[in-house]
Amino acid sequence: MTQGTAIIAGQGALPGLLARRLEAEGAPFVLAEMEGFVVENPGGWPVERFIVERLALLFDRLRDLGMTRVVFAGAVSRPALDPGRIDPKSAMLLPALIPAFQAGDDALLRAVIGLFEDAGFDVVGADAIAPELVPGDGVLTPDQPSEDDRADAARAAQIVTALGAIDVGQGAVVAQGLCLAVETLPGTDAMLRWLADVAGGCRADAAGAKGVFYKAPKPGQDRRVDLPVIGPGTVAGVARAGLAGIVIEAGGVMILEREATLAAAQAEGLFIWARRP
Amino acid sequence: MTQGTAIIAGQGALPGLLARRLEAEGAPFVLAEMEGFVVENPGGWPVERFIVERLALLFDRLRDLGMTRVVFAGAVSRPALDPGRIDPKSAMLLPALIPAFQAGDDALLRAVIGLFEDAGFDVVGADAIAPELVPGDGVLTPDQPSEDDRADAARAAQIVTALGAIDVGQGAVVAQGLCLAVETLPGTDAMLRWLADVAGGCRADAAGAKGVFYKAPKPGQDRRVDLPVIGPGTVAGVARAGLAGIVIEAGGVMILEREATLAAAQAEGLFIWARRP
């Protein structure tokens, strides 16, 4: 029997991308949508809605549908729990979740993955379904990083690693060895917009290296979920900020809409480099 | 004989503040201004202009003027060296500077301090002249930090320490435990302006703690030079960004225009807390 795949769908284009891929392969799948979110569903595919308070019922339902594999796709914000809605079976799951709710997003996600695994599901990363989403080592564009860009990338990687160790951000901008910006809660786009406004005045040598945007997962992050993502919007932001290119950690960052992203980079004369850490 | 003080003057109000203080005490002093900079000189005090290429001549001149003590006041950007202007005596000093020129701002500053010390000058911090510039432990305003603010300050201190260890920034904004912004090359004001634009949308609980701006020197920094600074402009930026207050590392951050700064904070209902690290 072909195994079915449940796509636990959060925000953005990723759930739809995975659904389309599974559909093309003729593989059975279902989108699972948490109440309070509306999944992007360009294919009008079947959707199972669930609430966190009744997670055990979702497990039963997915099993009934023949789903044996689960992929988390796209971010969801942390739900509030309504104790009045918890069913008895799901209540048995809560002892594993409550401490994780206190301990931060990563811990909560690990705990949720653990619950799916304990329920017998095989939890895989999006790249198990669409490997081209997560590029390995190499420069993906005709434009290549210069020696200066490579040095800036190495410095940015050092910064993002140090930040990741204290659970802050997954991105940074470095130009001519100097850190121009660090990604924080408001995210990549907000950082790049700001940089576009101030970048003209903050490079030591205006004629020197333009700088790179670097993105990587957090150290120790479970690579099956919540990998950082770039896409055509990232390219547009990096171009407006006047940077030379984008560097992602090889094997650790997804490119959504890969063709459109690479085409946009080429049109802007930017490089995209998946760099071995 | 009263010792004279040479104020090696960089940008901003600090050189003038120190000059005014020394004048009030009737202590002899001189402002030393590096060519290419124009020192703020509200008192019209005597100014010795120098060029880095002839540092040995500055040493001689300061000695002739009876200056035995040196204080570095205000930032200077790294000068370019013109080999054609170097005099023979200063050329002897260069071997100590050249490697530091490669190694970063902190190393360069340490090397320059070393040269002044080797030349027999006593290098002191600005707080040796005006101790109230660098507050010790305590809340300086009528408004007090809440328990949430104290927790946010602790998290911000952790972040700034981690960043300082890799030589990035000296400030961060944390609200409700989450890092909203990290100070990078463009500086505090640029960070706070950005936060004012996006802050409304990036707190987990809109009715919860507003967050704090935290500032500290880099770990291992020579506390005699280039301490981070806050002032009335910082208070205005923090108010616009909707934060609850300012936390500085006790003994490690200067408040310029202390009265105006504290008055502005009080008017905005903000706290300023010099926190023991």
Side-chain angles (χ1 to χ4, degrees):
Chain A
M1 186 189 116
T2 311
Q3 63 178 0
T5 303
I7 302 168
I8 311 295
Q11 291 169 320
L14 183 59
L17 287 175
L18 298 180
R20 200 172 290 286
R21 169 63 63 96
L22 290 165
E23 184 180 53
E25 292 171 357
F29 69 93
V30 66
L31 290 165
E33 173 188 82
M34 192 163 75
E35 191 185 83
F37 292 86
V38 178
V39 60
E40 287 182 29
N41 189 356
W45 298 292
V47 172
E48 287 293 318
R49 176 162 300 186
F50 69 97
I51 64 175
V52 177
E53 293 89 341
R54 299 186 185 174
L55 201 54
L57 304 186
L58 174 67
F59 292 165
D60 291 343
R61 175 73 181 143
L62 294 180
R63 275 192 218 98
D64 290 346
L65 292 167
M67 302 296 144
T68 57
R69 192 167 73 157
V70 164
V71 60
F72 290 84
V76 293
S77 52
R78 176 188 292 232
L81 283 182
D82 177 353
R85 300 174 81 185
I86 300 172
D87 70 284
K89 221 167 149 188
S90 298
M92 308 288 286
L93 303 174
L94 285 184
L97 280 189
I98 296 302
F101 253 90
Q102 320 286 333
D105 289 341
D106 285 356
L108 185 56
L109 210 40
R110 271 195 300 275
V112 170
I113 291 172
L115 291 179
F116 275 90
E117 289 179 329
D118 291 346
F121 295 99
D122 184 22
V123 178
V124 300
D127 58 332
I129 294 166
E132 79 285 357
L133 281 173
V134 183
D137 195 17
V139 178
L140 308 175
T141 47
D143 284 282
Q144 301 286 314
S146 68
E147 279 309 301
D148 284 344
D149 296 330
R150 288 172 186 269
D152 284 341
R155 172 72 172 136
Q158 179 195 35
I159 291 166
V160 170
T161 300
L163 286 167
I166 54 166
D167 203 19
V168 174
Q170 305 180 310
V173 172
V174 170
Q176 301 173 23
L178 296 170
C179 181
L180 301 190
V182 161
E183 188 173 328
T184 53
L185 189 68
T188 301
D189 293 345
M191 179 190 72
L192 291 174
R193 270 199 305 276
W194 173 69
L195 203 57
D197 295 340
V198 302
C202 66
R203 286 186 185 81
D205 174 4
K210 295 172 172 179
V212 305
F213 169 55
Y214 181 85
K215 191 141 186 141
K218 288 181 205 156
Q221 172 173 346
D222 188 321
R223 300 255 167 145
R224 290 175 298 177
V225 291
D226 201 23
L227 284 187
V229 163
I230 67 168
T234 318
V235 172
V238 163
R240 274 198 307 272
L243 301 174
I246 299 171
V247 185
I248 58 178
E249 184 179 307
V253 175
M254 289 193 287
I255 303 186
L256 293 186
E257 306 177 60
R258 181 179 172 121
E259 282 183 34
T261 302
L262 296 183
Q266 186 168 352
E268 296 282 5
L270 303 177
F271 63 81
I272 298 181
W273 172 27
R275 176 182 178 273
R276 192 192 307 271
Chain B
M1 185 187 118
T2 311
Q3 62 178 359
T5 303
I7 302 169
I8 311 295
Q11 292 170 320
L14 184 58
L17 287 174
L18 298 180
R20 199 172 289 288
R21 171 62 63 97
L22 290 165
E23 185 179 51
E25 293 170 356
F29 68 94
V30 66
L31 289 165
E33 173 188 82
M34 192 163 76
E35 191 185 81
F37 292 87
V38 178
V39 60
E40 287 182 28
N41 188 356
W45 297 293
V47 172
E48 287 294 318
R49 178 164 297 187
F50 68 97
I51 63 175
V52 178
E53 292 89 340
R54 300 187 184 172
L55 203 54
L57 305 187
L58 175 68
F59 293 165
D60 290 343
R61 175 74 180 142
L62 294 179
R63 273 191 219 99
D64 290 346
L65 292 167
M67 302 295 144
T68 57
R69 192 167 72 157
V70 164
V71 60
F72 290 84
V76 293
S77 52
R78 177 188 293 231
L81 283 182
D82 178 352
R85 301 175 79 185
I86 299 171
D87 70 284
K89 221 166 148 189
S90 298
M92 307 287 286
L93 304 174
L94 285 184
L97 281 189
I98 297 301
F101 254 90
Q102 320 286 332
D105 289 342
D106 286 356
L108 185 57
L109 211 40
R110 272 195 300 274
V112 170
I113 290 172
L115 290 179
F116 276 89
E117 289 179 329
D118 291 347
F121 294 99
D122 183 22
V123 179
V124 300
D127 58 331
I129 295 167
E132 78 285 359
L133 280 174
V134 183
D137 194 18
V139 178
L140 308 174
T141 47
D143 284 282
Q144 301 286 314
S146 69
E147 280 308 302
D148 284 344
D149 296 330
R150 287 171 186 270
D152 283 341
R155 172 72 172 136
Q158 179 194 36
I159 290 166
V160 170
T161 300
L163 286 167
I166 54 166
D167 203 20
V168 174
Q170 305 180 312
V173 173
V174 169
Q176 302 174 22
L178 297 170
C179 181
L180 301 190
V182 161
E183 188 173 329
T184 53
L185 188 69
T188 300
D189 293 344
M191 178 189 72
L192 292 174
R193 270 200 305 276
W194 173 69
L195 203 57
D197 295 339
V198 302
C202 65
R203 286 187 186 81
D205 175 3
K210 294 171 172 177
V212 305
F213 168 56
Y214 180 85
K215 191 140 187 141
K218 289 180 204 155
Q221 173 174 346
D222 189 321
R223 300 257 167 142
R224 290 175 296 179
V225 290
D226 200 23
L227 285 186
V229 163
I230 67 167
T234 318
V235 172
V238 163
R240 273 199 308 273
L243 301 174
I246 299 172
V247 185
I248 58 177
E249 185 179 307
V253 176
M254 288 193 286
I255 303 187
L256 292 187
E257 304 177 60
R258 182 180 173 122
E259 283 184 32
T261 302
L262 296 182
Q266 186 168 351
E268 296 281 5
L270 303 178
F271 64 81
I272 298 181
W273 172 27
R275 176 182 178 273
R276 192 192 307 272

